[in-house]
Amino acid sequence: MLKLAVQKSGRLHEDSMRLLKECGIGISNGANKLKTEAGNFPLQVFFLRDDDIPQYVEDAVADIGIVGENVVYEKNKSVDVVEKLGFGKCRLSFAVARGEEYSNIQSLEGKRIATSYPYLTGQFLSKNKVKADIHEISGSVEIAPGIGLADAICDLVSSGSTLLTNGLKEVETILQSEAILIRNRQLNKAQQQLLDKLLFRVHAVKKAKNNKYILLNAPNDKLNEIIGLLPGMKSPTVLPLADKGWSSVHSVLSEDEFWDKIEQLKDAGAQGILVVPIEKMVM
Ligand code: PRT
Ligand code: ZN
């Protein structure tokens, strides 16, 4: 049995549960439960506050956990990072009042900085040889400058709208963060095997999300050019259409090159292009 810690409620909860579901692991979502067991995978799920997850994983109360990088690096516990999960993306940044002048990190010398991330903030400042006064506060960090508690803050940002509505501007990013899978450093062989099995599924889900299945019709005299544009898992599948002189071409395109490729395919003579999501992808 593998024990997994996930956030009980909050920004990472739903995406964590969705990932398990996409990995074919059925969890009955007992909203107020502390722990539950998967029906079809030897997995026990603990629902915890995100701040506690690194400690629980270090202590082997949980074998693995899903939590933000920001929390893992702030808590600085002895755990291994196994995998980036692609959700819960944000950044840890310094921000100052919009009217404040800021040229570089030295501008924070002697300033009062409010943050819920005293360890990471302190580490970054001392690496840059800046001496400042760090005030640890646990929530609503963004109001600190407005009420005269601090000159600057160091907080998580995603869209930037919280900073904007509080009259602040982002001036320096110290960490890019997303949800990650962490593991205890002393897993036994059986636990490691279960983790590998879970990871195999996670990779298939992640890969599928980054790729699209594409079907198109190509005039046979343009086939070579069109096939040359497509990567495919091995090579594209080409099937003759009932209409002589035309073929149907099937392939897989990655999300980042998707729009460029579609344009090139159209220019090369492809028609009736269909793009469909892929559920799992095993290489
Ligand atoms: O109860 P528990 O302790 O488990 O939850 P929590 O309240 O401590 O954390 P929660 O649920 O707010 O966030 C969990 C994790 O989500 C964080 O540790 C990050 O890894 C990740 N995450 C991603 C974020 C954000 N984006 C985010 N925008 N966590 C917090 N924010 C906050 C930020 O602190 C600021 O107040 O959102 C505001 C900024 O958002 P924008 O969009 O206005 O820039
Ligand atoms: Zn928290």
Side-chain angles (χ1 to χ4, degrees):
M1 183 72 76
L2 197 63
K3 290 172 288 180
L4 164 72
V6 299
Q7 192 187 23
K8 182 174 170 59
S9 62
R11 289 170 199 262
L12 302 183
H13 175 81
E14 265 178 39
D15 284 329
S16 304
M17 300 315 285
R18 184 176 311 129
L19 176 65
L20 290 178
K21 196 173 166 205
E22 287 168 343
C23 288
I25 298 173
I27 306 281
S28 64
N29 215 358
N32 289 315
K33 278 198 200 154
L34 170 65
K35 65 177 183 180
T36 184
E37 230 165 83
N40 50 2
F41 195 93
L43 186 76
Q44 207 168 37
V45 183
F46 290 74
F47 299 105
L48 302 168
R49 284 206 51 200
D50 65 346
D51 315 70
D52 298 332
I53 292 176
Q55 181 74 61
Y56 278 112
V57 172
E58 181 184 285
D59 296 345
V61 175
D63 305 310
I64 56 175
I66 296 177
V67 63
E69 285 174 279
N70 50 309
V71 174
V72 175
Y73 301 140
E74 175 66 24
K75 301 291 176 190
N76 197 23
K77 300 291 174 200
S78 304
V79 296
D80 287 336
V81 174
V82 181
E83 183 81 22
K84 294 202 183 214
L85 298 175
F87 58 85
K89 288 190 177 169
C90 57
R91 52 197 188 271
L92 184 61
S93 293
F94 285 106
V96 298
R98 213 172 301 144
E100 189 89 7
E101 261 192 47
Y102 182 93
S103 40
N104 55 44
I105 191 72
Q106 312 302 330
S107 307
L108 296 177
E109 181 72 34
K111 298 282 165 72
R112 294 164 305 158
I113 300 168
T115 185
S116 308
Y117 294 85
Y119 176 73
L120 291 173
T121 304
Q123 212 187 27
F124 186 84
L125 289 173
S126 68
K127 199 175 75 193
N128 286 283
K129 303 193 169 44
V130 173
K131 286 207 174 62
D133 196 2
I134 297 175
H135 289 247
E136 181 177 357
I137 49 179
S138 58
S140 303
V141 173
E142 65 280 358
I143 65 169
I147 59 172
L149 184 74
D151 307 304
I153 65 167
C154 186
D155 198 14
L156 297 178
V157 183
S158 47
S159 68
S161 69
T162 302
L163 294 183
L164 197 68
T165 50
N166 286 281
L168 302 171
K169 61 177 179 188
E170 188 176 0
V171 292
E172 198 96 43
T173 294
I174 71 174
L175 175 75
Q176 294 285 348
S177 177
E178 65 184 85
I180 52 175
L181 186 68
I182 56 171
R183 58 157 217 167
N184 174 273
R185 293 208 166 138
Q186 273 101 38
L187 293 190
N188 65 34
K189 204 168 163 212
Q191 289 164 331
Q192 185 58 48
Q193 275 171 354
L194 285 176
L195 174 55
D196 290 342
K197 196 168 163 169
L198 177 63
L199 273 177
F200 177 79
R201 298 186 186 190
V202 170
H203 290 155
V205 169
K206 271 176 70 179
K207 193 121 194 107
K209 281 214 173 100
N210 292 331
N211 287 278
K212 297 271 181 273
Y213 193 76
I214 173 167
L215 303 92
L216 58 86
N217 294 334
N220 286 344
D221 57 341
K222 298 279 175 58
L223 252 184
N224 282 343
E225 191 184 340
I226 287 174
I227 289 173
L229 290 168
L230 291 167
M233 281 170 87
K234 280 219 159 53
S235 67
T237 306
V238 181
L239 303 164
L241 288 183
D243 190 351
K244 268 206 187 121
W246 284 82
S247 298
S248 168
V249 180
H250 301 200
S251 188
V252 171
L253 274 187
S254 85
E255 193 85 318
D256 8 304
E257 58 174 0
F258 180 76
W259 289 109
D260 282 343
K261 285 283 183 196
I262 295 285
E263 268 173 35
Q264 293 169 17
L265 288 165
K266 274 194 72 176
D267 291 346
Q271 290 183 12
I273 303 176
L274 277 183
V275 178
V276 282
I278 301 171
E279 199 175 311
K280 308 280 187 296
M281 206 164 144
V282 179
M283 307 299 277

